[in-house]
């Protein structure tokens, strides 16, 4: 704490020297008060990702290597063009530069692709939280007609044909798929006539594909930002503008960012309705809860490695209508546009939106939270806040980690 106070005092001392040069005998106060520094300390450092109890392969290097191959495999899409890395571009903060992502055959999705940065720290995945694990999330994207459009039986056959030698040492033998249709998933007539054993075999392979992808995506961790270095005692890591922006960020009655973007991962990992305009009537978390509870690949299902009671107490409520997950702000400057619908071209627009108190009633589903209200930041405060957000960029990941395997 003493080093942090010294850092703030040094900034004040520098300003004080300038004031003395101008003939003033007054020494200005430090930019951050002791209380503000204490709040800032809550934002770092970021530890290791929490365990993944429903995936016993989550930290298996061989599973991660298989997951890396699958992440960039465009053959796991119906048009042979789209992969996980298409909408979650490593060069764009593991997000999509398009407001709405384009899947197989150029089909436009209904939401902006959320970032995979620090995704291993999330309790729920997707903007609406319809997956409660990182291994269940990719299967939904792979089979979504607006994304991979690759059915569950196609996933199973693809593993059997192209990845058997990598899959079997990790997950065991690939079952006999001779009677399994080439292309079928829940809701298809071909799926319904499959035997229970065939459906179970396919779902088991799909779950394992997700578990391999989770083992890989758990490595997308953003650390060693300039904020982290400042909190570790590097007094020169943040500029004066960034310190002023930190003051706005942690002020509960000014920028108010810390209300939802708290903790080392800069998110409360909850769902909120801030009134982002959405003409589609997207209900967000409300619909997501229903989908999660019905998903056989959820953490309480038969393909979980620790089923039982994980979703107890989770119910669909009307106050969830229009709520969306709070994203991490680590590396946030790398991944425009912003919001679940990609509505904001840049961070300046999003800061202005928050400053005005969110969207107008009737332009989004549900009711905006009472904590979202006009703030009235000055132009300087907005510029300083933006400067601080740039200080949240982490060290680049190793190039070999974020590229297709050779």
């Amino acid at each position: 704490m003493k080093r942090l106070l010294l850092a703030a005092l040094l900034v004040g001392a520098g300003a004080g020297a300038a004031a003395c040069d101008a003939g003033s005998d007054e020494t200005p106060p430090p930019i951050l008060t002791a209380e503000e520094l204490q709040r800032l300390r809550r934002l770092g450092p970021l530890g290791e990702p929490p365990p993944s109890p429903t995936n016993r392969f989550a930290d298996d290097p061989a599973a991660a290597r298989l997951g890396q191959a699958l992440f960039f495999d465009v053959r796991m899409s119906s048009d042979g063009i789209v992969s996980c890395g298409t909408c979650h571009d490593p060069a764009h903060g593991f997000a999509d530069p398009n407001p709405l992502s384009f899947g197989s055959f150029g089909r436009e999705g209904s939401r902006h692709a959320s970032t995979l940065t620090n995704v291993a720290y999330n309790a729920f995945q997707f903007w609406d939280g319809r997956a409660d694990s990182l291994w269940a999330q990719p299967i939904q994207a792979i089979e979504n007609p607006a994304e991979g459009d690759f059915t569950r039986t196609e996933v199973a056959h693809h593993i059997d044909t192209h990845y058997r030698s990598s899959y079997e040492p990790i997950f065991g033998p690939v079952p006999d798929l001779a009677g399994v249709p080439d292309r079928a998933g829940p809701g298809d007539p071909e799926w319904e006539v499959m035997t229970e054993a065939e459906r179970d075999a396919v779902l088991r392979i799909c779950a394992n594909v997700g578990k391999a992808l989770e083992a890989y995506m758990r490595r997308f961790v953003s650390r060693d930002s300039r904020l982290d270095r400042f909190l570790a005692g590097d007094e020169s890591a943040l500029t004066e503008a960034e310190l002023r922006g930190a003051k706005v960020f942690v002020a509960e009655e000014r920028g108010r960012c810390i209300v939802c973007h708290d903790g080392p991962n800069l998110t409360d990992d909850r769902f909120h309705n801030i009134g982002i305009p959405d003409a589609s009537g997207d209900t967000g978390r409300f619909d997501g809860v229903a989908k999660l509870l019905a998903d056989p690949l959820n953490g309480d299902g038969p393909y979980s490695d620790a089923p039982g009671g994980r979703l107890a107490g989770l119910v669909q409520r009307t106050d969830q209508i229009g709520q969306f997950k709070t994203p991490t702000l680590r590396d946030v400057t790398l991944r425009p546009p912003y919001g679940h619908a990609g509505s904001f071209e840049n961070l300046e627009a999003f800061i202005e939106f928050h400053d005005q108190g969110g969207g107008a009633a009737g332009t989004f589903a549900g009711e905006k939270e009472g904590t979202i209200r006009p703030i009235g930041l000055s132009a300087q405060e907005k510029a300083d806040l933006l400067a601080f957000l740039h200080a949240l960029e982490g060290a680049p990941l190793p190039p070999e980690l974020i590229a297709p395997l050779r």
Side-chain angles (χ1 to χ4, degrees):
M1 185 64 180
K2 290 180 180 178
R3 300 189 72 180
L4 291 174
L5 285 169
L6 176 60
L9 288 169
L10 284 173
V11 174
C20 289
D21 290 342
S24 171
D25 293 330
E26 296 183 3
T27 300
I31 290 177
L32 297 172
T33 67
E35 181 182 359
E36 289 165 346
L37 281 166
Q38 193 64 29
R39 290 179 191 166
L40 194 64
R41 283 182 64 84
R42 302 204 308 246
L43 307 185
L46 184 67
E48 292 298 314
S52 178
T54 61
N55 179 7
R56 61 191 176 94
F57 307 96
D59 297 306
D60 183 327
R65 184 171 177 82
L66 173 58
Q68 184 170 356
L70 294 169
F71 188 87
F72 295 101
D73 190 349
V74 296
R75 297 172 300 179
M76 284 179 52
S77 63
S78 59
D79 66 354
I81 294 176
V82 175
S83 73
C84 300
T86 301
C87 299
H88 300 283
D89 185 354
H92 196 76
F94 293 103
D96 194 331
N98 299 301
L100 301 177
S101 297
F102 293 91
S104 292
F105 303 105
R107 296 169 186 153
E108 188 177 65
S110 58
R111 292 182 184 148
H112 180 59
S114 53
T115 181
L116 296 182
T117 295
N118 292 1
V119 71
Y121 297 83
N122 295 346
F124 297 94
Q125 310 298 336
F126 295 110
W127 286 107
D128 59 8
R130 66 182 183 273
D132 65 338
S133 73
L134 187 48
W135 61 266
Q137 176 267 335
I139 297 303
Q140 293 193 36
I142 289 168
E143 67 180 347
N144 188 326
E147 297 181 62
D149 191 31
F150 207 60
T151 66
R152 296 183 184 187
T153 64
E154 286 177 297
V155 170
H157 284 299
H158 188 69
I159 294 298
D160 188 26
T161 302
H162 299 288
Y163 289 101
R164 179 187 284 266
S165 63
S166 299
Y167 177 97
E168 291 190 331
I170 306 167
F171 300 110
V174 174
D176 182 8
L177 301 175
V180 172
D182 291 339
R183 180 175 170 86
D188 296 333
E190 295 84 355
W191 178 265
E192 302 306 323
V193 299
M194 290 168 58
T195 67
E196 190 65 32
E198 288 172 334
R199 287 196 292 267
D200 177 72
V202 168
L203 285 171
R204 181 73 59 184
I205 293 173
C206 287
N208 289 338
V209 164
K211 290 174 182 180
L213 282 163
E214 175 179 19
Y216 173 55
M217 292 187 289
R218 280 173 64 82
R219 301 183 174 194
F220 300 166
V221 178
S222 175
R223 289 197 186 90
D224 195 29
S225 68
R226 287 187 292 108
L227 173 63
D228 293 323
R229 296 200 292 274
F230 176 80
L231 294 176
D234 181 354
E235 297 148 4
S236 63
L238 296 182
T239 67
E240 185 173 346
E242 289 163 351
L243 283 168
R244 292 196 306 265
K247 186 180 186 75
V248 176
F249 189 96
V250 302
E252 293 180 349
E253 292 304 323
R254 290 304 292 157
R256 311 192 71 248
C257 310
I258 201 171
V259 173
C260 296
H261 295 282
D262 202 350
N265 197 28
L266 291 152
T267 172
D268 61 4
D269 207 27
R270 296 178 181 176
F271 300 83
H272 299 279
N273 188 337
I274 64 173
I276 293 179
D278 189 337
S280 71
D282 194 334
T283 62
R285 182 62 168 157
F286 182 76
D287 191 41
V289 167
K291 290 179 178 178
L292 170 58
L293 295 174
D295 187 2
L297 297 182
N298 68 33
D300 277 349
Y303 306 100
S304 165
D305 291 324
R310 305 192 66 82
L311 298 176
L314 181 65
V315 296
Q316 193 180 50
R317 306 187 311 270
T318 55
D319 65 340
Q320 297 163 342
I321 297 174
Q323 291 184 347
F324 294 90
K325 183 159 59 69
T326 306
T328 177
L329 291 185
R330 286 185 177 267
D331 285 352
V332 67
T333 53
L334 305 181
R335 52 178 192 263
Y338 301 97
H340 71 273
S343 310
F344 303 93
E345 182 179 1
N346 50 46
L347 282 172
E348 291 90 335
F350 210 19
I351 290 171
E352 186 64 32
F353 175 77
H354 273 281
D355 187 51
Q356 293 176 0
T363 62
F364 54 90
E367 295 185 7
K368 186 171 57 180
E369 294 185 11
T371 56
I372 306 300
R373 57 183 184 271
I375 300 171
L377 296 176
S378 68
Q380 185 64 62
E381 286 176 312
K382 294 173 187 176
D384 292 339
L385 180 56
L386 181 62
F388 175 69
L389 295 177
H390 279 278
L392 305 179
E393 296 173 8
L397 294 175
E400 64 274 13
L401 175 65
I402 55 176
L405 292 173
R406 296 183 179 276

